Amino acid sequence: MRKLVLAISMLAFAGSAAFADPIQDRQALMKERGKLAGQLSKVVKGEEDFDAAAVLTTLKALQANAEKFDAEKLFPAGSDNGDTTAAPKIWEDMAGFKAAEDKFLANTKEAVASPPGDVDGLKAQLNTLGGDCGACHQSYRVKKG
C-alpha cells in the first residue's frame, strides 16, 4: 500500500511539473522573439554586416518561435491576472488574436522561403514583421507604467 501511495504521489508531482506557468511561458517566448527581431534590426541599422546565411538562420529561428505559439496553452482563461501586459481583449477576441499571430507566422514563413539578398530586402521583411508585432501589441497588449 505504501508503494502505491508513493507511486501516486510521484505521478501527481510529475503531472504538476508538466504544467508550467502560462504567463512565464508566453513572456519567455515573446522575449525570445524580441531578441531575434533585435538581431535582424542591428543588421538593418548597419550595426552589423549583412550576412545572408546568418540572416536566414535568424529568420528560421523566428519562424520556429512563431510555430511554438499556441494561444490556448499560453493564454488560458484565468491567466490574465498577475505580472502580465496581456490585454483583456485577448480573451474577449481570441479569434482576432489568433488571426494576428497566424499573420505573423505566415509572413515569417514567407521571409524564410524567400530570404533577403541584401539589407534593403531584409529591411522590407523586417518592416512587415515589425508591423505585425506592432499591430498585435496595439490591440492585445497593455503598456506598463
Side-chain angles (χ1 to χ4, degrees):
M1 183 65 160
R2 184 173 167 210
K3 287 183 181 180
L4 178 62
V5 171
L6 183 61
I8 291 171
S9 297
M10 289 176 65
L11 284 173
F13 175 76
S16 66
F19 294 104
D21 180 348
I23 294 174
Q24 289 178 358
D25 289 348
R26 66 188 182 226
Q27 288 174 346
L29 190 72
M30 292 300 154
K31 283 179 185 176
E32 176 189 34
R33 186 174 293 185
K35 182 179 176 183
L36 293 166
Q39 290 172 355
L40 296 173
S41 181
K42 286 180 182 181
V43 176
V44 168
K45 292 177 183 177
E47 296 171 8
E48 291 185 11
D49 292 334
F50 180 84
D51 176 339
V55 165
L56 181 57
T57 297
T58 304
L59 287 171
K60 286 180 178 179
L62 199 55
Q63 179 180 335
N65 172 283
E67 289 172 342
K68 291 179 199 173
F69 190 92
D70 181 335
E72 281 83 20
K73 288 182 183 175
L74 294 172
F75 296 88
S79 68
D80 54 339
N81 298 322
D83 185 24
T84 181
T85 57
K89 187 174 179 184
I90 290 171
W91 293 272
E92 295 164 6
D93 179 25
M94 186 59 77
F97 182 59
K98 289 178 185 179
E101 182 61 29
D102 289 346
K103 184 174 186 244
F104 177 77
L105 176 58
N107 286 331
T108 304
K109 285 181 175 182
E110 187 175 310
V112 169
S114 299
D118 58 21
V119 174
D120 290 336
L122 176 60
K123 183 176 182 179
Q125 288 180 334
L126 196 56
N127 283 340
T128 298
L129 297 173
D132 292 342
C133 293
C136 189
H137 284 190
Q138 183 135 18
S139 296
Y140 300 105
R141 185 176 186 203
V142 176
K143 290 186 180 185
K144 278 190 170 182

